[in-house]
């Protein structure tokens, strides 16, 4: 290769480089060039609308989930309140029934104790009367003995 050929090839490569560089620069300028105000506002408005729509969608989902959760909690609280009320009523009924049974048992036991005391009192009274009669009889016998022994000694 001669100098002339080398120069021509170098110039050719240089020109190709300038041409390719120019194309790349033009493409970059088109891609990164600032847009006119109307286009920029339009793009920003579109992006804001898209963000607002997504926010409303997320808020709707959150609201639905919150309502569902609130309904579930309300139902569970109502069920719990009903269960507690029913159990309290059952306990009250059981206590009332037990109280009545205890009162009846105490009344019956009181009657039995009264009857037993009356019977024991009657038995004691009879025993006291018998003992009193025996003492009286023995006292008479002793008096008669003392009297007869006194009379016989005089």
């Amino acid at each position: 290769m001669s100098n002339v050929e080398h120069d021509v090839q170098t110039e050719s490569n240089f020109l190709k480089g300038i041409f390719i560089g120019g194309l790349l620069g033009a493409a970059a300028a088109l891609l990164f060039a600032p847009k006119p105000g109307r286009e920029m506002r339009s793009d920003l408005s579109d992006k804001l609308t898209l963000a607002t729509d997504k926010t409303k969608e997320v808020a709707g989902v959150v609201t639905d989930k919150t309502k569902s959760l609130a309904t579930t909690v309300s139902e569970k609280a109502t069920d719990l309140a009903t269960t507690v009320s029913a159990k309290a009523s059952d306990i009250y009924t059981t206590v009332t029934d037990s109280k009545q049974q205890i009162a009846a048992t105490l009344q019956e036991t009181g009657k039995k104790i009264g009857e037993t005391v009356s019977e024991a009192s009657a038995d004691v009274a009879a025993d006291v009367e018998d003992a009193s009669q025996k003492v009286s009889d023995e006292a008479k016998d002793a008096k008669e003995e003392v009297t007869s022994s006194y009379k016989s000694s005089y």
Side-chain angles (χ1 to χ4, degrees):
M1 259 175 112
S2 71
N3 243 355
V4 174
E5 285 180 12
H6 187 287
D7 287 337
V8 172
Q9 192 173 12
T10 304
E11 282 180 25
S12 172
N13 285 340
F14 181 71
L15 289 176
K16 283 181 188 177
I18 289 178
F19 181 71
I20 291 175
L23 287 176
L24 287 175
L30 286 175
L31 288 174
F32 292 107
K35 296 180 180 180
R38 281 191 188 161
E39 275 187 53
M40 185 62 76
R41 285 190 298 272
S42 175
D43 285 350
L44 287 175
S45 177
D46 291 345
K47 298 274 185 198
L48 182 61
T49 301
L50 181 63
T52 303
D53 290 345
K54 286 289 184 185
T55 302
K56 285 180 183 177
E57 182 180 325
V58 168
V61 169
V62 168
T63 300
D64 291 345
K65 293 286 183 183
T66 303
K67 285 180 182 177
S68 174
L69 182 62
T71 301
T72 302
V73 167
S74 176
E75 289 171 355
K76 294 292 181 185
T78 302
D79 291 347
L80 180 62
T82 302
T83 301
V84 167
S85 176
K87 292 295 181 188
S89 177
D90 290 347
I91 290 170
Y92 177 76
T93 302
T94 301
V95 167
T96 302
D97 291 347
S98 296
K99 188 170 96 175
Q100 290 172 350
Q101 288 174 352
I102 290 169
T105 302
L106 287 175
Q107 188 176 16
E108 185 177 320
T109 304
K111 284 180 183 177
K112 286 181 181 178
I113 290 172
E115 290 170 1
T116 303
V117 167
S118 293
E119 289 174 7
S121 179
D123 288 346
V124 167
D127 288 345
V128 166
E129 191 176 323
D130 286 345
S132 178
Q133 187 63 39
K134 283 181 183 178
V135 167
S136 178
D137 289 344
E138 285 181 18
K140 277 184 186 178
D141 288 343
K143 181 179 175 186
E144 286 176 8
E145 270 182 41
V146 167
T147 303
S148 74
S149 100
Y150 183 67
K151 283 185 183 179
S152 56
S153 30
Y154 291 108

